[in-house]
Amino acid sequence: MTYKELIQRLFSINLFGGIKMGLTNCYQLQRLLNFPDHAFPTIHVAGTNGKGSVVTKIAKALQESGYRVGLYTSPHLCCFRERIRINQDMISESSVETILPHLFELTTVHAIPATFFELTTLLALTYFAREKVDVAVLETGLGGRLDATNIVSPLLSIITSISLDHTDILGSTEEAIAKEKAGIIKSGIPVIIGPKTPHRQLLDIAHANNSPCIKVHSLSPLFEEENKAIAHTALNHLKSSFKLPPEAIAKGLEAKQPCRFEVLQGSPAVILDVAHNPDGLQRLFQATKKHFPEHSIRVLFGLSKGKDLDGCLTILRNNAAAFHIVEAPNGRGAAISELKARLANLGVEPSPIHTHSEIQKGIQNAVQAAKLHNQILLICGSFFIMSQARQALGINEPRDEIDLNERHGPAKPSSEWNR
């Protein structure tokens, strides 16, 4: 099968299904693949916000120090292969064509109902082992305790932040969510916890696991500064296992992923950011106002179903002068009509609200309006609007022919959930 056929088959697994929380499938595949994750040390990162930025900074610092570094992140923006990288280079189509058929064969022969994310995780681990990486840095997909990445025995665990997100799956309180994220804490393995976490609760869990716990206290209204502090703490700890020159650490701390306060200079200036929950959006506006204090803000956004929509919209209402609403094309986006109605219920007048059935046309309209009114254009919210937004802005990068991110409904019950 070709790369295109393989990833379409992979994508189709979750097309009509739901999230399955549990590790049984991954443990089976891990064993059948002869434990590929044992071939290299790992750093495992969970958290509500910041985990993608932290893994990127750590991986870059290790790479700059001369190591061959695997990096696993999710979701992707434009191309499935973004999720799996070695020294910033995406996994090749030929490697997917080599490894993924074997994974499909194992699931068929052994009747393993593995999901999109479970198979993608094992694809990454197998690829890293085959390519003989020196170390891999892994970002959890959702939660921690029952996330597919949690089959590894890491050198270091990191929990970046805790706030309300995915409450339909992880719990309705920060304490419940913290418990799920803390599931990545392993017996005797050090864990670093960020400043925006319930320290007392996580310290108790770490103590119960005999895990040394390192607290980061550098709380900042700016996510970038907080993420740098967490990554810096992690890299200082990793000096006992890796040679990390100061200049390599400095370069690593400046590394950023696309759509994390990504500023496109021009007229108007455009900021791309995947902030999609109240805490993330609040920090995003704080950063925008710090960097562009003299400008009002026009925002184009789409939000995903199941989010705290009123919490997100309240922050947008309080900080933006005009609103352009779009909907993710993969079925996971909250309806434009619902977001418009909720903004109206929050007291926003009709005139500054604009709705767009097509993301590309919405971008064109918002850019023109921001330029006319000398505003900053902030494009934020769901990961799943960003591929089309970036394309509309003329950003040329590898892009799949169709959106190959997960499409899923509510979480399926798991016998492991309350284990």
Side-chain angles (χ1 to χ4, degrees):
M1 296 178 72
T2 66
Y3 166 78
K4 181 179 177 181
E5 291 168 337
L6 285 165
I7 57 173
Q8 285 182 327
R9 176 178 172 183
L10 178 64
F11 168 72
S12 69
I13 292 172
N14 273 12
L15 189 57
F16 302 108
I19 301 171
K20 183 203 70 61
M21 304 301 291
L23 299 179
T24 300
N25 293 341
C26 286
Y27 281 139
Q28 286 183 272
L29 288 169
Q30 181 191 41
R31 185 175 65 254
L32 291 167
L33 292 164
N34 197 27
F35 299 91
D37 53 296
H38 290 188
F40 47 84
T42 55
I43 295 117
H44 196 196
V45 183
T48 304
N49 293 311
K51 57 184 181 293
S53 293
V54 169
V55 296
T56 298
K57 293 178 187 302
I58 293 171
K60 178 63 172 176
L62 287 163
Q63 178 189 342
E64 290 290 335
S65 300
Y67 296 100
R68 187 166 170 79
V69 186
L71 177 62
Y72 181 53
T73 59
S74 63
H76 60 271
L77 295 172
C78 302
C79 176
F80 170 80
R81 295 185 295 120
E82 294 170 22
R83 295 169 177 252
I84 304 169
R85 297 175 181 266
I86 295 177
N87 285 6
Q88 301 184 66
D89 294 327
M90 297 188 299
I91 185 173
S92 65
E93 292 186 4
S94 61
S95 293
V96 175
E97 290 170 347
T98 299
I99 300 169
L100 198 50
H102 181 50
L103 293 177
F104 285 141
E105 181 183 13
L106 291 176
T107 61
T108 300
V109 170
H110 297 276
I112 302 171
T115 66
F116 173 105
F117 188 73
E118 290 169 337
L119 285 166
T120 303
T121 300
L122 270 300
L123 169 63
L125 296 176
T126 302
Y127 176 64
F128 294 156
R130 290 189 178 199
E131 294 297 316
K132 295 181 171 55
V133 299
D134 298 310
V135 58
V137 189
L138 311 179
E139 175 190 3
T140 60
L142 178 64
R145 182 171 68 96
L146 298 178
D147 186 78
T149 59
N150 205 28
I151 60 173
V152 302
S153 297
L155 188 67
L156 175 67
S157 302
I158 303 169
I159 301 173
T160 58
S161 68
I162 302 293
S163 59
L164 295 179
D165 200 11
H166 298 293
T167 54
D168 55 331
I169 298 169
L170 301 178
S172 59
T173 66
E174 289 190 1
E175 290 73 21
I177 292 172
K179 182 178 179 181
E180 291 302 322
K181 305 284 187 187
I184 71 166
I185 298 175
K186 302 293 198 305
S187 179
I189 302 300
V191 59
I192 291 171
I193 59 175
K196 202 171 187 305
T197 59
H199 282 184
R200 184 71 264 161
Q201 181 184 4
L202 296 181
L203 283 169
D204 289 344
I205 295 172
H207 180 73
N209 283 276
N210 294 315
S211 300
C213 187
I214 305 162
K215 295 183 288 184
V216 179
H217 294 286
S218 303
L219 183 63
S220 170
L222 304 179
F223 261 142
E224 178 65 4
E225 296 308 311
E226 193 171 293
N227 293 334
K228 282 183 178 180
I230 296 169
H232 199 187
T233 302
L235 290 164
N236 281 335
H237 176 82
L238 290 169
K239 286 180 180 178
S240 61
S241 302
F242 302 93
K243 293 182 179 179
L244 299 171
E247 59 273 18
I249 292 177
K251 288 182 179 179
L253 294 178
E254 295 304 318
K256 293 175 67 175
Q257 289 181 302
C259 293
R260 274 69 168 187
F261 204 77
E262 181 181 8
V263 180
L264 308 181
Q265 297 291 350
S267 179
V270 178
I271 301 170
L272 295 158
D273 197 289
V274 289
H276 57 270
N277 54 46
D279 184 43
L281 287 167
Q282 187 63 49
R283 303 285 193 93
L284 172 58
F285 279 106
Q286 289 171 330
T288 302
K289 290 177 179 181
K290 177 185 178 182
H291 289 279
F292 299 94
E294 303 301 322
H295 294 78
S296 69
I297 301 169
R298 180 174 293 264
V299 62
L300 181 143
F301 69 97
L303 298 172
S304 294
K305 298 172 183 176
K307 298 294 181 181
D308 177 5
L309 297 182
D310 284 338
C312 292
L313 292 170
T314 297
I315 292 167
L316 292 170
R317 178 201 64 185
N318 292 343
N319 291 277
F323 313 86
H324 295 258
I325 308 174
V326 297
E327 182 177 340
N330 66 347
R332 293 180 64 174
I336 292 170
S337 58
E338 179 183 5
L339 296 176
K340 181 180 179 180
R342 286 176 181 257
L343 271 179
N345 289 339
L346 291 169
V348 179
E349 295 295 325
S351 57
I353 303 177
H354 310 270
T355 60
H356 308 278
S357 59
E358 297 180 19
I359 294 174
Q360 183 165 356
K361 289 184 178 179
I363 294 288
Q364 292 170 351
N365 184 288
V367 166
Q368 291 171 358
K371 185 174 182 178
L372 178 65
H373 295 282
N374 192 30
Q375 295 169 317
I376 299 299
L377 175 58
L378 178 57
I379 301 171
C380 62
S382 172
F383 274 85
F384 310 123
I385 69 169
M386 290 300 175
S387 177
Q388 288 191 29
R390 294 172 70 82
Q391 189 172 25
L393 291 166
I395 299 173
N396 185 24
E397 55 199 342
R399 181 172 282 105
D400 293 320
E401 293 182 16
I402 61 172
D403 181 0
L404 293 166
N405 273 298
E406 299 96 323
R407 300 186 187 183
H408 54 64
K412 294 179 178 178
S414 169
S415 59
E416 296 178 77
W417 184 253
N418 293 314
R419 185 178 62 187

